Amino acid sequence: MTPTPEADLSTEQSQAIAARVREELARRRISRQHLADQARISISTLEKALAGRRPFTLATTIRLEEALGAPLRAPIRATPVALAGLAPEALGAYSRAAVAWLEGEYLTLRPSFEDPAAVYAYRTEIAWDDASSSLAFREAARQDAEFTQKGMVSLSNQSGHTYLITNEQGQFRLIILGRPVIGGEMYGMLTTLQAGHGSHLTPAAAPVALIPLRRVTDAAFGRIAAGGAHYDDYRATLARVTDKGFARFFAG
C-alpha cells in the first residue's frame, strides 16, 4: 500500500532521515533555515523533526530531497552505520567524511604571553576519535609541557567557524578559527587563562594561526624571539589575523 504524502513515516525511518539531513547540512555547511527555505517548509517543522519531537512525513521528505538533490530514504538497515560516523549535534552533527580535510598536523602560532614581541610555536594534531565519534585535537612540542591542551572539535554549519574546545572540570579554553584559506591555513582567536604568580590566573586573548605542518620546512617550536629561526615569517603570519579581518580585538 502506497503511503499518502501526509502520512507519518516510522520512527526508524524518521531517525534515519534526520541523520542524513544533519550530515548533508554539515557537509555543505548550510544553515537549517536555508534548507527550510529551499524546501518550502517551516523552520519549526524541520527543527522538530530533526530533534525527534515529531516524525517526518513523506511530503516533507520529498521536499527536502528536492532541495538537497540527494536521496534521504536510505534502507533502515544502513542507519547504524550512518550514526556511528556522525558527531553529536552539540558539536555540529558533522560526518567523518565531511571533515576529513581538517585532519592532520598543524604548526600553531600565537604571541608569547611572557614576551609579547616573541612568537610561541607548537604542534596541534586533529584526528577522528572513535570513542567520542567526533574530531579531537591534541597539542605537542610545547615548551611549557604542563599546559599542553587537548579536547573536542566543533564545526558550525551556520558561521563556518571551527572551535577547538578544552573543558577540564568546567574550566574552558577556546580557539575560534575562520574558514581555511586556499593553502589550508586557519586564523582566529585564542581565549584562555594566563598563569601568573602563585596560583593566580588571568583571562587572556590572543591571535592564533594554524598552518598545515606539511607546508612548513624545518619548523621551529618553542618561544621564538627576534632573530630566531622563522621569526619574521611567524610574525607576518600572526599579523594576518587582524590585517585580513579574521578576528578583532577591542580595548575599552
Side-chain angles (χ1 to χ4, degrees):
M1 182 176 178
T2 302
T4 64
E6 292 75 22
D8 291 342
L9 301 183
S10 69
T11 299
E12 288 183 317
Q13 287 176 313
S14 292
Q15 289 175 346
I17 291 169
R20 291 291 304 278
V21 170
R22 288 194 294 268
E23 181 177 348
E24 290 295 327
L25 287 170
R27 185 174 65 83
R28 300 167 190 236
R29 308 191 85 169
I30 60 176
S31 68
R32 293 181 177 187
Q33 182 65 65
H34 177 77
L35 177 58
D37 292 343
Q38 293 297 309
R40 304 184 306 283
I41 61 175
S42 71
I43 185 62
S44 174
T45 295
L46 180 59
E47 292 281 7
K48 289 178 181 178
L50 290 178
R53 296 197 300 272
R54 62 175 294 175
F56 282 91
T57 65
L58 180 59
T60 296
T61 303
I62 291 172
R63 289 187 176 186
L64 289 169
E65 288 177 332
E66 291 175 346
L68 291 168
L72 298 175
R73 288 166 287 176
I76 293 176
R77 56 186 173 82
T79 303
V81 177
L83 294 176
L86 196 67
E89 190 163 357
L91 295 178
Y94 52 81
S95 71
R96 184 175 187 178
V99 296
W101 58 270
L102 192 54
E103 295 188 69
E105 291 187 313
Y106 295 85
L107 168 67
T108 306
L109 305 174
R110 64 162 171 80
S112 168
F113 292 147
E114 291 74 20
D115 177 10
V119 177
Y120 195 73
Y122 55 93
R123 191 172 72 248
T124 299
E125 179 186 4
I126 298 176
W128 186 265
D129 179 60
D130 287 326
S132 63
S133 189
S134 69
L135 287 174
F137 78 92
R138 180 183 297 272
E139 298 174 350
R142 284 189 59 148
Q143 187 170 315
D144 53 349
E146 67 273 23
F147 295 110
T148 296
Q149 304 285 326
K150 62 180 179 179
M152 297 293 101
V153 179
S154 174
L155 282 86
S156 168
N157 59 58
Q158 292 186 332
S159 71
H161 283 69
T162 299
Y163 302 80
L164 275 56
I165 307 165
T166 298
N167 178 6
E168 293 290 344
Q169 298 180 339
Q171 180 173 301
F172 282 79
R173 191 201 72 162
L174 178 66
I175 290 178
I176 306 175
L177 300 166
R179 296 178 184 272
V181 299
I182 192 168
E185 302 93 338
M186 293 182 288
Y187 302 90
M189 178 189 300
L190 162 71
T191 59
T192 186
L193 295 175
Q194 180 185 5
H197 297 293
S199 60
H200 184 68
L201 299 172
T202 303
V208 66
L210 269 69
I211 315 300
L213 201 55
R214 67 182 184 277
R215 298 181 58 85
V216 183
T217 303
D218 299 325
F221 299 101
R223 187 175 296 109
I224 314 298
H230 296 294
Y231 176 79
D232 291 339
D233 288 340
Y234 285 3
R235 289 298 303 183
T237 297
L238 275 179
R240 288 177 58 86
V241 174
T242 51
D243 291 349
K244 301 298 182 181
F246 290 101
R248 295 179 181 176
F249 298 87
F250 298 92

